[in-house]
Amino acid sequence: MHVKVEGLARLVNQLEKFSPEVSKALKSEMRKGAGIVASEAKSLIPNSGLSNWGAWSDSKTGRDLGFIGSWVKKGITPKTNRYRRGGVTTAFGYDVVSSTAAGAIYEVAGPGNKTRDARGQGFVRNLNRSRNEAPLPRTLFPAYYEGMSRAVPAIEAAIREAERKVGR
């Protein structure tokens, strides 16, 4: 999900070439706007995913899949989303992502996800029950809908300020 602003990529290109300090300020303010959604998503992460879902490592790869709420919360951050073609930015924005394995599991484990054994099915069932059968995904979409009403005005204000500074 995203908010599209016409001409933003062109503005970013111009600022990067002719006014790097304004470009940096714009990106910082836009990131703060995306941070509103990230903060909302963090508020939806419990301190523990499920009882007994603590230390957990994949037996094949050794990858850490353990759920520790504070670690999962630290992994939810705004990330630059830029598309370039021929060295020119054609799209620019920020996404809010969950970068931990436990965060990804918590976000989407549920109906439609294949599990290989009864233990895995029980995990999904228990996770759904503990979260009152909330729709999937559990944090990022609800945070988007809750936080965007505050983030959009902040982002738009940052864009208007950048345009004002360069005399557009």
Side-chain angles (χ1 to χ4, degrees), residues 39-57:
S39 293
E40 189 65 37
K42 290 175 184 182
S43 75
L44 299 173
I45 298 292
N47 290 329
S48 62
L50 275 179
S51 60
N52 296 323
W53 183 10
W56 173 24
S57 294

Side-chain angles (χ1 to χ4, degrees), residues 5-8 10-11 14-15 22 26 156-168:
V5 178
E6 291 295 326
L8 179 60
R10 186 181 47 200
L11 175 63
Q14 290 174 344
L15 291 175
V22 175
L26 171 62
E156 288 174 342
I159 293 168
R160 283 193 302 275
E161 178 64 16
E163 289 175 333
R164 186 191 66 74
K165 285 182 179 177
V166 294
R168 281 184 84 198

Side-chain angles (χ1 to χ4, degrees), residues 103-133:
I105 293 166
Y106 178 79
E107 187 73 26
V108 297
N113 292 326
K114 295 180 181 176
T115 57
R116 296 182 182 174
D117 59 20
R119 188 177 64 181
Q121 292 170 357
F123 171 78
V124 169
R125 191 172 38 256
N126 291 336
L127 186 57
N128 287 338
R129 273 193 216 130
S130 74
R131 302 299 161 227
N132 299 320
E133 306 293 335

Side-chain angles (χ1 to χ4, degrees), residues 31-132:
R31 185 177 194 84
K32 286 179 189 174
I36 292 169
V37 175
S39 293
E40 189 65 37
K42 290 175 184 182
S43 75
L44 299 173
I45 298 292
N47 290 329
S48 62
L50 275 179
S51 60
N52 296 323
W53 183 10
W56 173 24
S57 294
D58 181 43
S59 59
K60 292 180 184 173
T61 64
R63 185 174 182 192
D64 182 12
L65 303 174
F67 191 104
I68 297 172
S70 60
W71 293 358
V72 173
K73 289 175 186 182
K74 284 180 186 177
I76 296 176
T77 59
K79 180 180 176 192
T80 303
N81 182 350
R82 175 192 295 242
Y83 180 74
R84 286 185 169 192
R85 177 173 257 162
V88 176
T89 299
T90 58
F92 183 85
Y94 287 90
D95 294 332
V96 176
V97 300
S98 180
S99 62
T100 63
I105 293 166
Y106 178 79
E107 187 73 26
V108 297
N113 292 326
K114 295 180 181 176
T115 57
R116 296 182 182 174
D117 59 20
R119 188 177 64 181
Q121 292 170 357
F123 171 78
V124 169
R125 191 172 38 256
N126 291 336
L127 186 57
N128 287 338
R129 273 193 216 130
S130 74
R131 302 299 161 227
N132 299 320

